[in-house]
Amino acid sequence: MRNDQFQQTRVPRPPSSIEKAIDVLFCFDIQRSQLRLVDISQRLGLHKSTAHRLLSLLKKKGLVVVDPATQLYSLGPALVELAWIVLRQQDLRSVCRPYMEQLRQNTNETISLNIRMGEKRVCIEELQSNQEVKYSQTFGLTAPLYVGAPGKALLAFLPQAELEHVLAALTFAPLTPDTITDDRALRVELAKTAVRGYAVSIGERSSWAAAVAAPIRDRSGQTIAALSVLGPSHRLTPKVLKEFGLRVIKVGNEISAALGYGAEGM
């Protein structure tokens, strides 16, 4: 019998603990907003001890809660917080998009929108330059807050107590020879950013790239995002960075106004 007559049989990989925990969350729906341990165990075909362990972990993270009187489980407040982040991102992107389009047209460079998530920043929108040589940081890309103009713009305008809390949690590691690698140097950059109104980076993430970024504020004045212009450093010279910095401040202020910032004082 020829070898090609045999078919290789793949053994299904057992679900991981993470997959099982996600399955627990999806047990809940509109019709079944509260479930007992035995209900979850039976629905997923899990031993009760396994289901209880997963529920305990989810409860610790606020993803589920349990009524001590009835022992009924339901989805927790942490999911509401995560859902709010998603909704706010979608709303923020829709508000920012036309302003970003105009900024790209005026600079002919890549425009990005970043938000802070813990000790990192994440790109939630990007409009790439139409030029052949361009810099792109890709939608969904994360980076440490201390690296690059967007991260510094997100940090520089935080309330002092919140800033100190974030800085204390940072662990510095160089990505290029020009990456900021200590608390003192970062504080100097943040002070310059706060005075200037926009952040500057040259070669901090990629050795050949440069950027400027300015904060976007919500109705309460909280910095919720950073708007950035990015490009090759041979085009974004110090003179161009200053020009683009003033532009990005202006557009950042326009977006902030569209989000309600300053409306109370009008």
Side-chain angles (χ1 to χ4, degrees), residues 119 144-156 158 163-164 166-173 178-194 196 199-201 204:
E119 299 163 32
L145 282 170
Y146 60 86
V147 176
K152 288 186 284 189
L154 288 168
L155 287 174
L158 289 176
L163 176 61
E164 293 299 332
V166 174
L167 292 180
L170 293 180
T171 301
F172 294 89
D178 293 310
T179 301
I180 295 173
T181 55
D182 65 79
D183 180 89
R184 180 178 298 179
L186 179 58
R187 288 177 183 273
V188 170
E189 278 295 303
L190 296 181
K192 291 180 181 178
T193 298
R196 190 169 47 211
V200 176
S201 65
E204 292 182 18

Side-chain angles (χ1 to χ4, degrees), residues 28-76:
F28 299 91
D29 54 35
I30 296 298
Q31 287 73 36
R32 293 176 289 268
S33 61
Q34 292 184 310
L35 294 169
R36 298 174 300 162
L37 170 62
V38 66
D39 298 328
I40 296 170
S41 173
Q42 290 175 353
R43 291 195 67 184
L44 298 179
L46 297 174
H47 194 279
K48 285 179 65 176
S49 62
T50 301
H52 185 267
R53 176 174 57 82
L54 294 170
L55 285 164
S56 297
L57 176 61
L58 294 170
K59 179 174 175 287
K60 182 179 179 181
K61 297 298 182 180
L63 296 170
V64 299
V65 293
V66 61
D67 186 322
T70 64
Q71 291 300 299
L72 286 170
Y73 288 88
S74 56
L75 296 176

Side-chain angles (χ1 to χ4, degrees), residues 130-144:
N130 294 316
Q131 301 191 67
E132 184 175 352
V133 179
K134 57 193 172 188
Y135 182 78
S136 172
Q137 64 173 9
T138 311
F139 175 82
L141 182 75
T142 62

Side-chain angles (χ1 to χ4, degrees), residues 1 75 78 93 123 142 159 178 192 195 201 218 233 236 245 250 258:
M1 187 176 290
L75 296 176
R93 290 170 62 195
C123 176
T142 62
D178 293 310
K192 291 180 181 178
V195 171
S201 65
D218 64 10
S233 53
L236 271 63
K250 180 177 181 294

Side-chain angles (χ1 to χ4, degrees), residues 2-19:
R2 297 182 311 176
N3 289 336
D4 59 6
Q5 290 179 293
F6 290 96
Q7 290 186 348
Q8 184 178 5
T9 302
R10 289 190 175 183
V11 178
R13 178 181 61 83
S16 67
S17 295
I18 294 176
E19 289 172 318

Side-chain angles (χ1 to χ4, degrees), residues 199-226:
V200 176
S201 65
I202 302 174
E204 292 182 18
R205 182 181 176 88
S206 298
S207 57
W208 60 277
V212 291
I216 293 173
R217 297 176 173 89
D218 64 10
R219 185 177 182 85
S220 69
Q222 178 184 358
T223 297
I224 58 171

